[in-house]
Amino acid sequence: ALIKSGYQGLIHTIGCREFVPLIEAGSLESPELHKITEHYLEPFHTMNLTTLIYGCTHYPWIANIISQYLPPSVICLDPAQQIVLEASQT
C-alpha cells in the first residue's frame, strides 16, 4: 500500500506476516525464511527504495538475513531504539 504523509517522499509498506511465526519457531536460518525474505524485499530492488524501517520487534533477530537481500545502500532503522531512548528520558 502506498501512503502519503507529511514526508515529501514515497512510503511503501510491505506486510511480512510469515516472519514472526518463523522467528518464534527458531527457524532463523531456514531455507523458507531466506525464500520469503527475498520475496518480501524485492521492492527494494524494483522500486529503488532507500530505507527500511522495522515494523516489528522481532525483525532485528533476522537483521543478518534481511541485509543479505537488500541493496548495500539501503539504510535499516529500528524504531525500538528511539522509543527506548524517549521512554528513558521521561
Side-chain angles (χ1 to χ4, degrees), residues 1 3 6 10 16 23 25 34-35 41 44 51 59 66 69-70 76-77 79-81 85:
I3 301 170
L10 176 69
C16 303
I23 293 167
H34 280 268
K35 181 179 176 183
L41 301 181
F44 282 89
T51 306
Y59 298 170
I66 290 171
Y69 295 97
L70 290 172
C76 294
L77 301 175
Q81 295 172 353
L85 180 63

Side-chain angles (χ1 to χ4, degrees), residues 37 41 52 54 62-72 74 76:
T37 302
L41 301 181
L52 181 146
Y54 293 133
I62 59 168
N64 61 328
I65 306 294
I66 290 171
S67 67
Q68 292 176 36
Y69 295 97
L70 290 172
V74 170
C76 294

Side-chain angles (χ1 to χ4, degrees), residues 1-88:
L2 299 178
I3 301 170
K4 185 75 172 172
S5 69
Y7 172 69
Q8 295 301 310
L10 176 69
I11 297 173
H12 181 75
T13 60
I14 303 169
C16 303
R17 67 176 153 257
E18 293 177 66
F19 276 169
V20 171
L22 288 169
I23 293 167
E24 290 183 350
S27 302
L28 302 181
E29 291 292 337
S30 71
E32 182 181 7
L33 179 60
H34 280 268
K35 181 179 176 183
I36 64 167
T37 302
E38 183 175 24
H39 170 72
Y40 286 150
L41 301 181
E42 182 61 27
F44 282 89
H45 300 276
T46 59
M47 298 177 69
N48 297 317
L49 302 175
T50 61
T51 306
L52 181 146
I53 302 173
Y54 293 133
C56 177
T57 57
H58 286 67
Y59 298 170
W61 286 95
I62 59 168
N64 61 328
I65 306 294
I66 290 171
S67 67
Q68 292 176 36
Y69 295 97
L70 290 172
S73 61
V74 170
I75 298 167
C76 294
L77 301 175
D78 182 357
Q81 295 172 353
Q82 186 63 35
I83 292 169
V84 169
L85 180 63
E86 294 291 326
S88 68

